[in-house]
Amino acid sequence: MTTLKGATNPHLPTPLVTAASEQTITVLLVDDQATVNEAIHCMLETEANLTYHYCSRAEKALQIATEIAPTVILQDLILPDSDGMTMVKKFRANPVTCDVPIIMLSTNDNPQTKAEAFAIGVNDYLVKLPNQIELVARIRYHSQAYLNRQAHTAALLAQAHAKELEQTLQELRQTQAQLIQTEKLSSLGQMLAGVAHEINNPVNFIFGNLTYIDTYVQDLMKLVQLYQDKHPEPDSAIQAHLEDIDYDFVMDDLLKMLRSTRMGAERIVQIVLSLRNFSRQDHQEMKPSNIHEGIDSTLLILSHRLKLGINVVKDYGDLPLVDCYPAQLNQVLMNIINNAIDALLDQPNQQKKEIIIHTSKINKNHIKIQIKDNGPGIPLAVQTKLFEPFFTTKPVDKGTGLGLSICQQIIANHQGTIQVISKPDEGAEFTIQLAVQSTVA
Ligand SMILES: Nc1ncnc2c1ncn2[C@@H]1O[C@H](COP(=O)(O)OP(=O)(O)OP(=O)(O)O)[C@@H](O)[C@H]1O
Ligand SMILES: [Mg+2]
């Protein structure tokens, strides 16, 4: 192998992004005749940005070509150890040289031979010895076209990689959001289930005792009454005590207090039920569920915020039980209602703040839940990003921007849909559609 202007390392890959005129053209001549090498060498010697390599033996040609990565190959048609056509096929079969332009050099000017050469994949055909100007022009033309193709392919590849990276990043963010939310959901669920369990025991014995207290009080009152009947004139100490404690009032109030204590205990039992219903730690699987129960427990969990001046209108339709993961669906309801509360509480001057929850059957197998608030609404620019993970318009300590993206994922897991309609100053309405009988495993 002979190297003429070998200023660049032939082992390095061809530079792809330099300006066309600055790119080095690398020529490899495969020819057994030393005189041809000398002649071609002479023709190319003074050319700028051109590196010339020579190989006299076919058996070495492929190895040299893969080492120097030529931008054009000048291939002799007849060689002692092989023929030029076979060499062309070998170059075309090799991944490094398969696209490199090949100019066949031959003393044979027969059109049939030329046609055969083109048929097996040569790019050009010159009769030996070619004219210097023509040879240089063809070498430059083919090399440039090859380099341009390489640059184009590299740009496409880079684009594809960038797209792939972007997609991976997107998936990572999605997974991260999902993990955070799953963690939030399970911690909240566990906490609620724990609180419900802790309250449940004491409330049970308060409730149980109340029944006995009720009976005992009735008995004692009857006893006092009997005493009063038998001894209508009590002695002065008893009389003084009766007046002291305001006996008639105490008896009347005691019954009232017992009634309200029972109501209070019943309310605690309801709350415990709702907490358990919300967390549904005991029902992690898809099961036919009462949507209204889910909404009610969610409203109960959020009641401390609703009490700050928001009226909730429940407009419930006649719904069948709906296949769902109840804890996940409750999480969706909570995110949407919480957002509505945030939007309404952010309007200190608004008089009538309202959330309307409407449920209805769409057809035999589909239902919808609509949650509408009369808050400030969602600007169009925000609507397009609403379901993106980490998109929030709230201060750092108030919102993570995960709520709606998780809602979308959960509803998608249920093979349902979630949509928003909103006009500025007319509030926002979120609509969830679900199949009554799910096909999700
Ligand atoms: N009912 C609504 N009225 C007005 N804007 C809303 C309403 N619901 C959602 N948005 C807007 O959508 C954004 C994204 O809501 P999302 O629930 O995904 O996140 P967030 O509420 O900001 O934070 P997070 O739910 O994680 O605490 C909110 O920051 C808010 O700008
Ligand atoms: Mg939210």
Side-chain angles (χ1 to χ4, degrees):
M1 181 174 83
T2 320
T3 302
L4 285 180
K5 295 180 182 174
T8 52
N9 181 346
H11 294 280
L12 286 178
T14 320
L16 295 172
V17 218
T18 42
S21 57
E22 288 168 16
Q23 284 179 318
T24 302
I25 288 171
T26 307
V27 181
L28 171 64
L29 170 70
V30 184
D31 197 309
D32 61 313
Q33 289 173 281
T35 49
V36 175
N37 170 34
E38 274 162 33
I40 302 276
H41 169 185
C42 261
M43 290 183 205
L44 302 180
E45 187 169 40
T46 52
E47 288 301 313
N49 295 326
L50 190 147
T51 312
Y52 175 75
H53 302 263
Y54 170 60
C55 169
S56 61
R57 285 164 52 207
E59 64 183 64
K60 280 263 174 198
L62 194 62
Q63 185 201 333
I64 292 169
T66 53
E67 279 171 18
I68 64 166
T71 58
V72 69
I73 297 168
L74 306 176
Q75 174 65 55
D76 185 17
L77 180 61
I78 299 159
L79 294 147
D81 51 350
S82 174
D83 72 289
M85 300 284 191
T86 309
M87 275 315 300
V88 171
K89 286 180 190 161
K90 283 187 181 164
F91 283 133
R92 288 292 172 249
N94 186 292
V96 180
T97 53
C98 61
D99 292 324
V100 177
I102 301 174
I103 302 175
M104 189 66 93
L105 282 185
S106 172
T107 47
N108 187 341
D109 198 12
N110 182 347
Q112 186 58 40
T113 312
K114 289 180 184 174
E116 275 171 36
F118 281 115
I120 59 156
V122 303
N123 302 72
D124 210 342
Y125 193 107
L126 285 175
V127 176
K128 281 202 264 198
L129 277 170
N131 170 283
Q132 180 183 9
I133 296 171
E134 187 180 356
L135 176 69
V136 170
R138 286 181 192 248
I139 285 175
R140 286 204 178 276
Y141 168 78
H142 286 297
S143 292
Q144 204 50 63
Y146 173 66
L147 288 170
N148 288 348
R149 277 197 303 275
Q150 294 268 86
H152 184 64
T153 313
L156 284 180
L157 252 169
Q159 259 178 22
H161 278 149
K163 213 171 162 186
E164 213 173 288
L165 259 174
E166 200 179 313
Q167 203 171 333
T168 313
L169 194 70
Q170 184 74 16
E171 280 167 18
L172 263 173
R173 283 167 69 100
Q174 198 79 19
T175 316
Q176 186 193 18
Q178 210 164 0
L179 278 174
I180 294 173
Q181 192 63 17
T182 312
E183 182 52 36
K184 262 170 67 177
L185 179 63
S186 94
S187 325
L188 179 69
Q190 274 169 19
M191 192 191 77
L192 291 182
V195 169
H197 179 76
E198 288 304 319
I199 298 176
N200 202 36
N201 285 341
V203 91
N204 269 344
F205 57 74
I206 291 178
F207 218 87
N209 290 350
L210 266 176
T211 315
Y212 292 105
I213 293 174
D214 217 18
T215 319
Y216 297 162
V217 167
Q218 301 282 355
D219 290 349
L220 287 172
M221 283 170 80
K222 200 167 170 192
L223 180 68
V224 175
Q225 188 62 48
L226 271 173
Y227 270 114
Q228 279 181 335
D229 291 348
K230 297 286 175 200
H231 305 282
E233 298 297 330
D235 75 10
S236 59
I238 294 176
Q239 186 59 38
H241 189 66
L242 281 173
E243 283 167 18
D244 221 22
I245 63 170
D246 196 352
Y247 175 77
D248 292 336
F249 170 79
V250 167
M251 283 303 113
D252 184 46
D253 208 36
L254 182 59
L255 291 175
K256 281 188 196 155
M257 278 166 72
L258 269 173
R259 266 201 304 278
S260 73
T261 308
R262 180 177 286 280
M263 272 167 57
E266 274 167 2
R267 181 100 186 95
I268 297 175
V269 170
Q270 278 304 317
I271 292 173
V272 167
L273 267 179
S274 288
L275 290 182
R276 288 170 93 169
N277 183 30
F278 184 87
S279 64
R280 290 292 176 107
Q281 294 294 301
D282 42 343
H283 297 299
Q284 297 283 16
E285 77 278 14
M286 169 90 68
K287 59 170 270 209
S289 310
N290 184 329
I291 297 289
H292 297 148
E293 263 180 21
I295 300 175
D296 288 344
S297 7
T298 307
L299 289 173
L300 182 99
I301 306 278
L302 295 173
S303 58
H304 66 290
R305 302 198 71 205
L306 292 163
K307 272 184 201 140
L308 300 173
I310 299 167
N311 181 39
V312 177
V313 178
K314 293 193 224 170
D315 178 18
Y316 291 171
D318 185 16
L319 292 192
L321 295 181
V322 175
D323 282 352
C324 68
Y325 296 96
Q328 288 189 12
L329 197 65
N330 288 346
Q331 182 68 21
V332 171
L333 296 168
M334 178 139 120
N335 279 331
I336 295 176
I337 299 172
N338 237 337
N339 280 346
I341 298 175
D342 283 343
L344 287 166
L345 294 184
D346 215 22
Q347 304 292 103
N349 297 326
Q350 188 173 332
Q351 287 300 318
K352 195 170 161 259
K353 297 175 183 171
E354 196 166 68
I355 297 175
I356 304 173
I357 304 176
H358 176 72
T359 62
S360 58
K361 243 162 76 175
I362 304 171
N363 54 40
K364 215 171 103 242
N365 198 37
H366 291 90
I367 62 114
K368 67 177 171 187
I369 309 166
Q370 286 159 294
I371 300 169
K372 183 173 163 49
D373 65 74
N374 65 346
I378 308 169
L380 213 61
V382 172
Q383 280 185 41
T384 53
K385 298 185 188 147
L386 218 55
F387 295 99
E388 281 176 17
F390 302 106
F391 173 78
T392 181
T393 57
K394 296 172 191 170
V396 183
D397 54 333
K398 288 253 175 72
T400 62
L402 288 177
L404 286 177
S405 87
I406 299 303
C407 290
Q408 197 177 43
Q409 275 173 37
I410 292 176
I411 296 299
N413 284 347
H414 284 75
Q415 296 190 330
T417 60
I418 176 166
Q419 279 166 339
V420 62
I421 301 174
S422 179
K423 282 192 196 141
D425 297 327
E426 287 183 27
E429 179 176 51
F430 286 83
T431 304
I432 298 164
Q433 291 198 15
L434 291 172
V436 174
Q437 277 180 333
S438 171
T439 49
V440 184

